[in-house]
Amino acid sequence: VNGVAMLHSNILKDELFQDYCSLWPERFQNKTNGITPRRWLRFCNPELSAIITKWLKTDQWVTNLDLLRGLRQFSDNRDLQSEWASAKMANKVRLAQYICQLTGVKVNPNSLFDIQIKRIHEYKRQLLNILGAIYRYKKLKEMSPEERKKVVPRTIMLGGKAFATYTLAKMIVKLVNDVGAVVNNDPDIGDILKVVFIPNYNVSVAEILIPGSELSQHISTAGMEASGTSNMKFALNGCLIIGTLDGANVEIREEIGEENFFLFGAEAHDVPRLRKERAQGLFVPDPRFEEAKNYVKSRAFGDYDYTPLLESLEGNSGYGRGDYFLVGYDFPSYMEAQSRVDNAYKDSKKWMKMSILSTAGSGKFSSDRTISEYAKAIWKIQECRVP
């Protein structure tokens, strides 16, 4: 029996299959998921791949991803940082053109490209993302034009499929679109903030989005995401992560360095206690969280009735209520992490160094390593090379 990330495997052993594990501990293993560097770097990001090959003086990293560690020694090198920034900008321009062609929304390639693409689900917390965007928009509206000039411009993109009968997931998609329709047409805001829903998300779309991303959101309630693999794809492409200690985020943060990861939120072992405290009526919401919800209720984004969605965040117990996924609890630390993102982005040299170290630390997350671990420890089979 194996989990697909260290945290997931520990939950299986300590909670889900605790009795079985006490009887047969030797049957439980961990096999952290991986992704193929052929598709998720070499093929989808040829500009960055060429730079990596040039600085490592070999293209062997394509089949031995641990070689990416060799980039660490160059992370402060101004020439590499400049080439790295050029590759990222080329990918951002391509993505901006794709978005304009697909949605008609013109986005500024000089803004921070912030992306969350994954299946729409309450536990993945696209709702936390859009409420954060709503709060950001409200604060921008309250600023003077002079104050707005100091703000880091941001383009927030969300994409993913919602299951046909998953009403709240569909409602989250609608909210993102309704927020975008207002924000993207607000002359006071201009290019400082854009909110875009990317339709018909699939692998081919991901191959355009991931190379052009600078920040990606992996913000599930801790203990609920078995592993996640898009986090690995983004990190491999030099995109920084804002995330919780969930799934493979834990190991990505260890590999790339905690100073290169924007961490927030409750930890998995805290979640049962926090849910219990909520049921007992002990939770006190942050005023910023209430402000974001009330802004939606004020019909600032149209007349659609979002009551069922907002009610899922309210009350202390009952089906579809009580904020089971801790959006309200994690909101303040999420907003503080987003402030750290803005501050880091203002220092382009520091950001490029973090981006290079993100790619350099992604070697572990190759599916080549995962499959060889399964082959050795579970399937007990030998490699058979094609002649």
Side-chain angles (χ1 to χ4, degrees), residues 70-81:
L71 292 170
R72 281 182 184 148
Q73 62 184 304
F74 306 120
S75 65
D76 282 309
N77 185 294
R78 291 285 180 254
D79 293 335
L80 174 56
Q81 288 180 0

Side-chain angles (χ1 to χ4, degrees), residues 130-333:
I130 195 61
L131 285 171
I134 287 165
Y135 184 80
R136 179 181 285 265
Y137 174 63
K138 187 171 187 291
K139 294 297 114 182
L140 282 169
K141 290 291 281 178
E142 292 165 6
M143 288 179 189
S144 69
E146 281 65 43
E147 288 172 313
R148 281 186 205 130
K149 283 176 188 165
K150 296 173 191 164
V151 173
V152 174
R154 192 182 290 221
T155 300
I156 301 171
M157 296 166 242
L158 291 97
K161 290 178 179 167
F163 190 71
T165 56
Y166 193 169
T167 311
L168 286 190
K170 296 274 186 185
M171 214 173 270
I172 291 166
V173 173
K174 173 139 181 71
L175 180 58
V176 174
N177 280 285
D178 283 353
V179 170
V182 172
V183 172
N184 303 341
N185 296 297
D186 188 330
D188 293 339
I189 302 303
D191 278 349
I192 302 169
L193 182 63
K194 297 286 185 199
V195 176
V196 184
F197 186 83
I198 309 290
N200 299 322
Y201 175 61
N202 60 24
V203 167
S204 301
V205 174
E207 289 169 355
I208 301 169
L209 286 162
I210 292 169
S213 64
E214 294 175 289
L215 180 76
S216 70
Q217 305 209 27
H218 304 275
I219 56 178
S220 49
T221 313
M224 299 208 69
E225 187 73 81
S227 165
T229 48
S230 73
N231 44 5
M232 303 169 187
K233 296 166 191 171
F234 281 104
L236 181 63
N237 280 270
C239 173
L240 302 184
I241 292 175
I242 180 169
T244 51
L245 281 180
D246 198 23
N249 281 2
V250 178
E251 291 157 83
I252 291 171
R253 183 168 170 263
E254 281 171 8
E255 292 292 314
I256 70 173
E258 57 188 50
E259 67 283 1
N260 302 312
F261 187 105
F262 298 100
L263 180 69
F264 76 96
E267 293 187 37
H269 59 82
D270 296 321
V271 170
R273 173 182 57 79
L274 292 167
R275 284 184 179 143
K276 196 173 172 186
E277 287 175 7
R278 177 72 181 233
Q280 292 166 344
L282 300 174
F283 173 69
V284 179
D286 187 271
R288 291 169 290 183
F289 181 60
E290 294 300 293
E291 209 177 322
K293 287 190 299 179
N294 288 334
Y295 205 42
V296 178
K297 289 176 191 170
S298 76
R299 303 287 167 104
F301 305 105
D303 290 331
Y304 186 82
D305 182 12
Y306 284 104
T307 305
L309 186 59
L310 296 171
E311 278 194 344
S312 73
L313 305 173
E314 287 164 7
N316 294 322
S317 60
Y319 180 74
R321 287 176 67 78
D323 194 11
Y324 186 75
F325 300 99
L326 308 187
V327 176
Y329 180 85
D330 279 351
F331 191 82
S333 66

Side-chain angles (χ1 to χ4, degrees), residues 32-36 229 232 364-367 369-370:
T32 298
N33 278 336
I35 53 159
T36 170
T229 48
M232 303 169 187
K364 173 181 174 177
F365 304 104
S366 172
S367 51
R369 187 263 319 148
T370 309

Side-chain angles (χ1 to χ4, degrees), residues 11 23 229 273 355-356:
I11 289 170
L23 290 170
T229 48
R273 173 182 57 79
S355 175
I356 293 164

Side-chain angles (χ1 to χ4, degrees), residues 371-372 375 381-387:
I371 298 304
S372 80
I381 56 171
Q382 298 298 309
E383 184 178 294
C384 181
R385 290 263 163 181
V386 176

